Amino acid sequence: SYSKNQYLLPKEEKLYKFYNIKDQEFSIVLSEGREMIEEGLGKEASNLFYILTLLDNQNLDAWMGLGMALFSVGLSDDNQSQDSFERALNAFWRAHILDPSNIVPPIAMIESLIQLHRYQDAYKIVQEIVGEKLDHKVEEILNILNQEIKQKV
């Protein structure tokens, strides 16, 4: 008889395992996505990383890859830059949520916010997130952002 829970995966199970994709194969695809970004194929890489985030929404590398791919699209395509940087910011935020001790996602968030000219939000992240992890560099970053804010206001 049919049970509605019959096809649901346990919460801790990765969706890609449901499709018989092995961890090593998933890692290879992550690497291929990074290579695509380096080759200037940001849009194609963003599609690939998006699928990887669907297959394993707890994978830090997939979220960082998605953010990096979208960020590269923002840098290369003026027509889509605003949307791409916003989406990159969301992907980097998700990566930060997955590993709050990792300094890379907040720095990527700051770079996205700077591209969006949201200097005060970037300043806030430096103060609240990065500041406690990079004491010696924080003052320099804060000064740069402070100058940007003053120039824009």
Side-chain angles (χ1 to χ4, degrees):
S1 75
Y2 172 76
S3 160
K4 72 176 185 176
N5 292 329
Q6 181 177 0
Y7 296 105
L8 296 179
L9 291 170
K11 266 191 175 176
E12 65 278 355
E13 191 63 65
K14 295 167 178 27
L15 182 61
Y16 67 84
K17 296 210 178 203
F18 182 75
Y19 293 105
N20 292 322
I21 299 170
K22 296 174 179 55
D23 289 341
Q24 184 180 5
E25 293 168 330
F26 192 86
S27 295
I28 290 169
V29 177
L30 281 169
S31 296
E32 288 173 1
R34 286 188 213 99
E35 287 175 22
M36 291 169 78
I37 295 170
E38 290 172 17
E39 293 168 7
L41 301 171
K43 191 169 176 82
E44 294 82 354
S46 70
N47 292 331
L48 176 68
F49 281 114
Y50 177 71
I51 291 168
L52 293 176
T53 63
L54 294 175
L55 290 172
D56 182 1
N57 69 1
Q58 300 296 305
N59 189 295
L60 177 78
D61 292 328
W63 285 106
M64 284 301 298
L66 178 60
M68 292 184 321
L70 290 166
F71 190 90
S72 75
V73 170
L75 290 176
S76 64
D77 186 349
D78 287 339
N79 297 329
Q80 293 187 349
S81 65
Q82 180 86 12
D83 181 56
S84 295
F85 290 130
E86 286 283 350
R87 292 174 56 212
L89 177 62
N90 290 334
F92 294 139
W93 175 252
R94 181 59 192 252
H96 172 64
I97 298 290
L98 289 171
D99 185 3
S101 67
N102 188 333
I103 194 68
V104 176
I107 289 174
M109 289 166 56
I110 291 166
E111 291 179 14
S112 299
L113 288 165
I114 289 170
Q115 291 294 330
L116 291 164
H117 308 290
R118 290 172 48 190
Y119 301 109
Q120 289 177 317
D121 291 333
Y123 186 84
K124 209 181 289 186
I125 290 175
V126 172
Q127 286 180 312
E128 294 173 8
I129 299 173
V130 179
E132 58 199 44
K133 296 179 182 124
L134 281 181
D135 293 333
H136 60 285
K137 276 279 191 191
V138 172
E139 190 128 2
E140 183 183 330
I141 296 169
L142 287 174
N143 288 335
I144 291 167
L145 286 172
N146 228 349
Q147 288 169 0
E148 289 285 349
I149 291 167
K150 286 177 185 168
Q151 286 175 7
K152 303 295 177 192
V153 176

